[in-house]
Amino acid sequence: MMICADYNATTPLGAGAQKEMEKVIANWGNPSSTHTLGRKASELLASFRNAVASKVSRSPDDLVFTSGGAESNTMALIGSFWAVKEKPFRLLTSGVEHSSVKGTVCFLETLGIQVQRVRVNAMGELDMEDFTAKLKSFRPHLVSLMTANNETGVLFPIPALARLCAEAALPLHTDSVQAFGKVDPTFWNGADMVSISAHKIHGPKGCGALFASKKWPLVSLHYGGSQETKRRGGTENAIGIAGFAGACNELSELSCWDRIRKLRDGFEARLRKELGDVYFQGEKAPRLPNTSSVRIAGVSADALLTALDLDGVAVSAGSACASGSITPSHVLTEMGLSTAEARECMRISWGRPTTDADVDTVAGLVISHTQRIRARRRTM
């Protein structure tokens, strides 16, 4: 049985999600139908909507169900672009956003939008002086900055960013996919749009949500019906939404992450003690409790990943969405790492099922494989 040390990529389907999904299997009507089957399905959908909204500290009226975090981010960016009449559209973001934001921004640039990117420091923290200056001089139509980085776990100061945006009467979108379930949901209360996803919290893949305040209009990207208050036409993915709600119902108290933070910190301390030239990106910055971006100097991350996989351990070189890419992580290079250094980095991310034994096993294997690889290099 494999040990998962890549929970930032995805999580196993939880019992709560499966329980709610079974309700939709038994009540399979179309929520838009007016007969008894449809009304029952509609009632279930409303209960699921309330369950998800309550865990994000938002009104269910602001919720738009999507196919996942990537679509939620795309809807926020492109929907805002089409909604703003003044052109060229101006967007303020950062250079370390998830690939779904990064790719959408690149696409929008081909349509003529103007983009400025806020710098980050070597720890991956947002440069607040740079943000404030660009907010004032650039005067964007939309600000889009992630809550937590999916590779390093570094948190952006969303409450402070939201206050500055509100003072400037500008909307803030935040990609909270990695943060959801790991930080207090009031952390992003000031944001006007929030993206989340089910499969990061033990829900099913293929279901996410965008919370979009009605104060900021969005042009729909999906037509064909009046579903989701006319913001995303098409029959709802009821079984996925059910699983999302069930996963939300099972979200643990945040205190469970105190245990995981201690496991993460112990893992990092052991590697630092037993291996030389080990570095953790963002270690001195506020970050998610489960994530380590570790660079072992002189050791290819690909070599370690392959060795660990053969030993039954799943880890990642970075974002799952960038898997297979031959280019180094844009997140790490934006933080100042060289191409060679970025290729020595791997992401370890623990989850609620992680045990002390799991962490001990993974740490021991990383240490032994590193020592083997380094010893072989010395003899070459």
Side-chain angles (χ1 to χ4, degrees):
M1 184 175 179
M2 289 201 76
I3 295 175
C4 181
D6 194 22
Y7 282 100
N8 279 9
T10 195
T11 57
L13 193 67
Q18 295 183 49
K19 178 181 177 182
E20 296 303 298
M21 292 166 80
E22 288 171 0
K23 293 181 181 178
V24 174
I25 294 172
N27 298 276
W28 46 268
N30 188 321
S32 297
S33 299
T34 58
H35 48 60
T36 302
L37 276 175
R39 290 196 301 274
K40 178 60 178 176
S42 180
E43 291 168 4
L44 282 173
L45 183 61
S47 69
F48 300 148
R49 189 181 303 277
N50 289 333
V52 176
S54 68
K55 294 298 182 180
V56 190
S57 190
R58 290 290 168 121
S59 166
D61 293 335
D62 290 340
L63 186 159
V64 182
F65 283 117
T66 67
S67 64
E71 186 194 335
S72 296
N73 289 334
T74 300
M75 177 182 290
L77 297 177
I78 298 181
S80 296
F81 165 69
W82 288 120
V84 172
K85 304 303 181 185
E86 180 188 349
K87 297 296 187 252
F89 182 83
R90 298 183 300 278
L91 173 68
L92 184 61
T93 184
S94 81
V96 297
E97 300 296 313
H98 185 268
S99 58
S100 60
V101 169
K102 181 175 180 283
T104 302
V105 171
C106 289
F107 166 69
L108 287 172
E109 285 184 293
T110 69
L111 301 182
I113 77 163
Q114 295 178 353
V115 180
Q116 288 193 8
R117 293 170 176 85
V118 183
R119 294 189 298 265
V120 297
N121 63 19
M123 282 290 112
E125 297 170 296
L126 199 72
D127 184 329
M128 289 301 290
E129 287 188 9
D130 189 42
F131 172 77
T132 303
K134 285 175 175 168
L135 191 72
K136 183 177 180 180
S137 62
F138 185 47
R139 191 67 188 179
H141 293 102
L142 175 67
V143 177
S144 181
L145 293 164
M146 66 194 336
T147 304
N149 190 270
N150 45 298
E151 294 188 31
T152 65
V154 172
L155 291 163
F156 280 177
I158 299 301
L161 297 172
R163 284 194 298 272
L164 290 169
C165 288
E167 290 170 3
L170 298 173
L172 171 65
H173 163 252
T174 186
D175 171 4
S176 295
V177 169
Q178 281 297 343
F180 183 43
K182 303 185 185 88
V183 301
D184 190 321
T186 61
F187 187 72
W188 50 73
N189 256 1
D192 300 286
M193 289 178 278
V194 181
S195 299
I196 59 173
S197 184
H199 77 103
K200 305 294 188 180
I201 61 163
H202 299 275
K205 297 172 182 64
C207 187
L210 175 68
F211 285 85
S213 169
K214 300 290 179 57
K215 182 171 63 174
W216 303 104
L218 286 178
V219 171
S220 176
L221 307 184
H222 292 258
Y223 295 91
S226 59
Q227 291 87 353
E228 301 303 294
T229 59
K230 298 183 179 180
R231 289 177 292 179
R232 189 181 188 271
T235 302
E236 297 90 348
N237 173 17
I239 194 165
I241 293 168
F244 200 174
C248 285
N249 290 336
E250 277 202 332
L251 277 178
S252 305
E253 294 295 324
L254 292 176
S255 59
C256 82
W257 293 103
D258 292 337
R259 177 185 71 86
I260 295 169
R261 180 182 287 104
K262 291 176 182 176
L263 292 177
R264 190 270 312 274
D265 292 348
F267 170 82
E268 293 182 357
R270 183 176 173 190
L271 263 60
R272 190 179 285 110
K273 178 181 179 181
E274 299 191 35
L275 295 173
D277 291 330
V278 177
Y279 308 92
F280 297 95
Q281 281 62 244
E283 65 175 321
K284 295 180 181 179
R287 55 178 170 149
L288 295 177
N290 73 320
T291 306
S292 298
S293 174
V294 54
R295 179 172 77 87
I296 303 176
V299 178
S300 163
D302 284 343
L304 272 178
L305 262 62
T306 300
L308 291 168
D309 187 47
L310 291 172
D311 284 331
V313 175
V315 299
S316 171
S319 169
C321 295
S323 179
S325 172
I326 62 173
T327 58
S329 161
H330 68 281
V331 172
L332 301 177
T333 55
E334 191 75 16
M335 292 168 61
L337 275 70
S338 68
T339 296
E341 290 170 336
R343 287 178 172 152
E344 293 171 344
C345 296
M346 63 180 178
R347 180 184 70 183
I348 304 287
S349 51
W350 311 107
R352 297 203 308 255
T354 299
T355 66
D356 292 38
D358 292 337
V359 177
D360 286 342
T361 298
V362 174
L365 288 170
V366 169
I367 291 165
S368 64
H369 284 306
T370 297
Q371 292 170 339
R372 173 182 56 81
I373 292 169
R374 285 177 168 173
R376 186 177 63 192
R377 285 181 52 132
R378 287 194 292 268
T379 61
M380 293 177 65

